[in-house]
Structures are given as C-alpha cells and as structure tokens.
Amino acid sequence: MSTSKGPGFFSAIGSKARDVLTKDYNADHKLIISSSPNTGVDLSSTLVKSRGLSSGNVAALFKYKDKTVVHVKVDTESSVLTTFTISDILPSAKAIASIRVPDYNSGKLEVQYLHDHVAFTTAVGFNRSPTIDFSATIGTPGIAFGAETSYSTAIGKLTKYNAGVCLKLPSSNASVILADKGDSMKVLYLHQLEKLNGGAVVGEISRRFSTNENTLTVGCSCVVDTQTVVKAKLNNHGNLGAVLQHEITDKSFLTISGAFETKALENSPKFGFSLLLKP
C-alpha cells in the first residue's frame, strides 16, 4: 500500500480531514458540463461567478495508450494552458510539462516517482531564474513522514520549507504539519463514525507563532444516504459553514454551500452553488 496517492507528502497528509473542513466551502456559483466519450477525448466547460465577476474556460483532455495525456484549457482571459503527462518514463515514474500562453515564463517541468513506501517529486520552471520545488514522503500505511521545499535561483535562498508526520489507525488518523518556514503549526485529528454511515468528526488546531494567533476548528460529515452528504464546520472566531452535496445521476452532482459569521450578525450570510453535469 502506498504512503501517498499524490506526488508528495502534502497532497496526502490530513487529506480526509481537509476534505471535511475545506472542500466545497465557497460562495461561488459554478456550472460544469463534462463529457467522457470512449474516444480518448474528454471535453468540459466551466462557468464561474465569484464576487460579482464572471469567468469561464473550455478544456479538452486527450489520452493516448493510457501513457500519454495532453490537457488543453482555454479561459476567458485569452490564455491557453497546455499540460503534457507521460507515465512510466521509468518504472513508477512519470513526467509532467506545462506552459501557459502568452506567458512563456510560466513553463514548468515536473518529475514524480511513486512507490509503495517512498514518493518524491521535483519541479523546475522554464525561465532564466527558475524556482526549484522538491517534496518527499517515506513511511508505511500506518505512519509517514514528509517534507517539501522551494529554492529560488534568483535570490539564492529557500523560499519555503515545510515538514509533517501522519499517523493512521483503522478508524482514525492524526497529522502534524509545520509550515511557513516554521512560523505556523497545524494539528489535525479525524475519527470515522459508523453511526454517521461512514461520516467523520474532525478537529484542527492551528497556531501562528509570529502573531500568537490560535484557531480551533471542529467539523463533521454525515452520509445521509448513498447519494447525499452533509458537512458542517465551526471555528473559535465564529465562522460557521455548511455543505450539502447530492448526486443527481451517476457522476453528476449538485452542491449547495453556506457561510455565516456568528460574531458579526450584521454581515449577510454567503451562499454557493455548484452543478456538475456529466453524461
């Protein structure tokens, strides 16, 4: 069993807890239409309205022999993002190259290595003074350690370094993350409850040492039925959020979210809406 599902430690550590506390909590209005024919080409269109501003994009995903993937996305700002992914360039390794036109300096090359008990990824930009990113994970299905860092060749310094550890038990998991160059620490705990039909309760404590600011967040998720999931969270600053997600048909989802500041009753609540349609 792999220690990670993604290219590095921070794509996996505390991922279930973060899903309960952060995923789908937004005030955007979003419509996504996607098609997945058996021709090796996936097409999707996205429209988003956020804070009174509207944006959108059209994307196409081309697959060739399950080893080569080309993803092209065109947005309303007249930029084109193209990503090439080649799997199995070496055993358990793949390469990802991306570039956004007309910003040619946005190009990046990333190499990922994913194995049962170790995973690492390294990325470098296509410009004169690139930033070099590196992350690594090592561990077992029960415990994993990881770190990530970024080095800027323009200033010759490390601009980011984070580290963490994750402990997983049959019905719970806990993680500790030290981030922001050691200025912040986050502790997460998740416990799965059979009484919630596969739901979970989550607690998170975060502290920023430079400002002595502490934040305590608790949340829970409940599987109402096979098609409906409800989530809620509340922190010590009085920020209350809730999400309802319903599977309309196979792979098509309706998501409604809301946020309310219990300590600032004069502020209007925020509501979000997302509709994903996939035939």
Side-chain angles (χ1 to χ4, degrees):
M1 182 177 178
S2 299
T3 59
S4 165
K5 294 294 184 183
F9 179 73
F10 289 90
S11 65
I13 186 170
S15 59
K16 291 184 178 180
R18 288 201 306 270
D19 282 350
V20 175
L21 295 179
T22 62
K23 187 178 181 182
D24 298 321
Y25 291 94
N26 59 69
D28 298 340
H29 297 81
K30 183 183 297 185
L31 172 63
I32 305 173
I33 301 175
S34 177
S35 63
S36 299
N38 297 323
T39 59
V41 180
D42 298 347
L43 301 176
S44 66
S45 178
T46 303
L47 296 174
V48 180
K49 185 176 181 181
S50 178
R51 297 179 180 178
L53 300 177
S54 299
S55 63
N57 65 72
V58 177
L61 185 70
F62 306 89
K63 298 181 181 179
Y64 178 72
K65 293 184 178 181
D66 294 329
K67 290 188 176 182
T68 303
V69 178
V70 180
H71 185 250
V72 180
K73 181 187 292 185
V74 182
D75 61 30
T76 51
E77 296 181 353
S78 300
S79 67
V80 181
L81 174 63
T82 304
T83 304
F84 301 89
T85 302
I86 303 176
S87 302
D88 296 327
I89 54 173
L90 292 173
S92 303
K94 66 179 178 181
I96 303 172
S98 63
I99 187 170
R100 184 184 296 273
V101 179
D103 183 12
Y104 297 97
N105 290 326
S106 65
K108 183 173 69 174
L109 176 63
E110 180 176 324
V111 177
Q112 300 177 3
Y113 177 81
L114 305 175
H115 203 264
D116 287 345
H117 298 291
V118 63
F120 69 82
T121 177
T122 183
V124 59
F126 293 148
N127 51 60
R128 294 182 179 180
S129 302
T131 297
I132 302 173
D133 300 320
F134 179 80
S135 65
T137 311
I138 185 170
T140 67
I143 186 170
F145 303 88
E148 65 178 1
T149 184
S150 293
Y151 178 79
S152 173
T153 59
I155 61 177
K157 293 182 179 180
L158 293 174
T159 57
K160 178 178 69 175
Y161 41 86
N162 306 321
V165 59
C166 180
L167 177 65
K168 184 177 181 181
L169 299 174
S171 61
S172 62
N173 64 71
S175 57
V176 180
I177 301 174
L178 188 65
D180 300 320
K181 299 182 181 180
D183 184 49
S184 66
M185 184 175 68
K186 185 176 295 186
V187 180
L188 299 100
Y189 176 79
L190 177 144
H191 187 82
Q192 296 177 333
L193 297 176
E194 296 181 0
K195 293 183 179 180
L196 295 180
N197 299 324
V201 292
V202 177
E204 177 191 84
I205 300 175
S206 61
R207 176 176 174 81
R208 184 167 294 276
F209 299 104
S210 59
T211 59
N212 290 323
E213 181 182 359
N214 299 309
T215 301
L216 171 64
T217 306
V218 294
C220 69
S221 66
C222 175
V223 181
V224 180
D225 53 43
T226 57
Q227 296 176 303
T228 308
V229 177
V230 176
K231 299 188 298 182
K233 67 174 181 178
L234 175 68
N235 66 19
N236 61 310
H237 302 299
N239 298 324
L240 175 66
V243 173
L244 184 148
Q245 185 175 79
H246 180 73
E247 186 176 11
I248 305 172
T249 60
D250 186 32
K251 299 180 181 180
S252 295
F253 294 90
L254 169 66
T255 303
I256 301 174
S257 61
F260 183 68
E261 297 182 29
T262 60
K263 294 184 178 181
L265 301 179
E266 68 278 7
N267 294 336
S268 301
K270 299 178 181 179
F271 296 97
F273 173 87
S274 175
L275 180 62
L276 169 61
L277 300 177
K278 195 169 186 179

Coordinates of all heavy atoms in Angstrom, one line a residue, residues 182-185 205-216 236-237:
G182 N 8.5 27.3 9.5 CA 8.5 27.1 10.9 C 7.6 28.1 11.7 O 7.6 28.0 12.9
D183 N 6.9 29.0 11.0 CA 6.2 30.0 11.7 C 4.8 29.6 12.1 O 4.1 30.2 13.0 CB 6.0 31.3 10.8 CG 5.3 32.4 11.6 OD1 5.7 32.7 12.7 OD2 4.4 33.0 11.0
S184 N 4.3 28.5 11.5 CA 2.9 28.0 11.8 C 2.9 26.5 12.0 O 3.7 25.8 11.4 CB 1.9 28.4 10.7 OG 2.2 27.7 9.5
M185 N 2.0 26.0 12.9 CA 1.9 24.6 13.1 C 0.4 24.3 13.1 O -0.4 25.0 13.6 CB 2.5 24.2 14.4 CG 2.5 22.7 14.7 SD 3.4 22.2 16.2 CE 2.3 22.9 17.4
I205 N -6.3 22.3 15.2 CA -5.7 23.4 15.9 C -4.6 23.9 15.1 O -3.7 23.2 14.8 CB -5.3 22.9 17.3 CG1 -6.4 22.4 18.1 CG2 -4.6 24.1 18.1 CD1 -6.0 21.8 19.5
S206 N -4.6 25.2 14.8 CA -3.5 25.9 14.1 C -3.0 27.0 14.9 O -3.8 27.7 15.6 CB -4.0 26.3 12.7 OG -5.0 27.3 12.8
R207 N -1.7 27.3 14.9 CA -1.1 28.4 15.6 C 0.0 29.0 14.7 O 0.8 28.4 14.1 CB -0.4 27.9 16.9 CG 0.3 28.9 17.7 CD 0.9 28.5 19.0 NE 1.7 29.5 19.6 CZ 1.2 30.5 20.4 NH1 -0.1 30.6 20.5 NH2 2.0 31.3 20.9
R208 N -0.1 30.4 14.7 CA 1.0 31.2 14.0 C 1.8 31.8 15.1 O 1.3 32.7 15.9 CB 0.3 32.2 13.1 CG 1.4 33.0 12.3 CD 0.7 33.7 11.2 NE 0.1 32.9 10.2 CZ 0.8 32.4 9.2 NH1 2.1 32.6 9.0 NH2 0.2 31.6 8.3
F209 N 3.1 31.4 15.2 CA 3.9 31.8 16.3 C 4.3 33.3 16.2 O 4.4 33.9 17.3 CB 5.2 31.0 16.3 CG 5.0 29.5 16.5 CD1 5.1 28.6 15.4 CD2 4.7 29.0 17.7 CE1 4.9 27.3 15.5 CE2 4.4 27.6 17.9 CZ 4.5 26.8 16.8
S210 N 4.4 33.9 15.0 CA 4.8 35.3 15.0 C 3.7 36.2 15.5 O 4.0 37.3 16.0 CB 5.1 35.7 13.5 OG 4.0 35.4 12.7
T211 N 2.5 35.8 15.4 CA 1.4 36.7 15.9 C 0.7 36.1 17.1 O -0.3 36.7 17.6 CB 0.3 36.9 14.8 OG1 -0.2 35.6 14.4 CG2 1.0 37.6 13.6
N212 N 1.1 34.9 17.6 CA 0.4 34.3 18.7 C -1.0 34.0 18.5 O -1.9 34.1 19.4 CB 0.6 35.1 20.0 CG 2.1 35.0 20.5 OD1 2.8 34.0 20.4 ND2 2.6 36.1 21.1
E213 N -1.4 33.8 17.2 CA -2.8 33.6 16.9 C -3.1 32.1 16.9 O -2.4 31.3 16.2 CB -3.1 34.2 15.5 CG -4.5 34.0 15.1 CD -4.8 34.6 13.7 OE1 -3.9 35.2 13.1 OE2 -5.9 34.5 13.2
N214 N -4.2 31.7 17.5 CA -4.6 30.3 17.6 C -6.0 30.2 17.0 O -6.9 31.1 17.2 CB -4.7 29.8 19.0 CG -3.3 29.9 19.7 OD1 -2.3 29.4 19.1 ND2 -3.2 30.5 20.9
T215 N -6.2 29.1 16.2 CA -7.5 28.9 15.6 C -7.9 27.4 15.9 O -7.1 26.5 15.6 CB -7.5 29.2 14.1 OG1 -7.2 30.5 13.9 CG2 -8.9 28.9 13.5
L216 N -9.1 27.2 16.5 CA -9.6 25.9 16.7 C -10.9 25.7 15.8 O -11.8 26.5 15.8 CB -10.0 25.7 18.2 CG -10.8 24.5 18.5 CD1 -10.0 23.2 18.3 CD2 -11.3 24.5 20.0
N236 N -13.4 29.0 16.4 CA -13.5 29.8 17.6 C -13.6 31.3 17.2 O -13.9 32.1 18.1 CB -12.3 29.6 18.5 CG -11.0 30.0 17.8 OD1 -10.7 29.6 16.7 ND2 -10.2 30.8 18.5
H237 N -13.5 31.7 16.0 CA -13.8 33.0 15.5 C -15.2 33.2 15.2 O -15.6 34.3 14.7 CB -12.9 33.4 14.4 CG -11.4 33.3 14.7 ND1 -10.8 34.0 15.6 CD2 -10.5 32.5 14.1 CE1 -9.5 33.7 15.7 NE2 -9.3 32.8 14.8

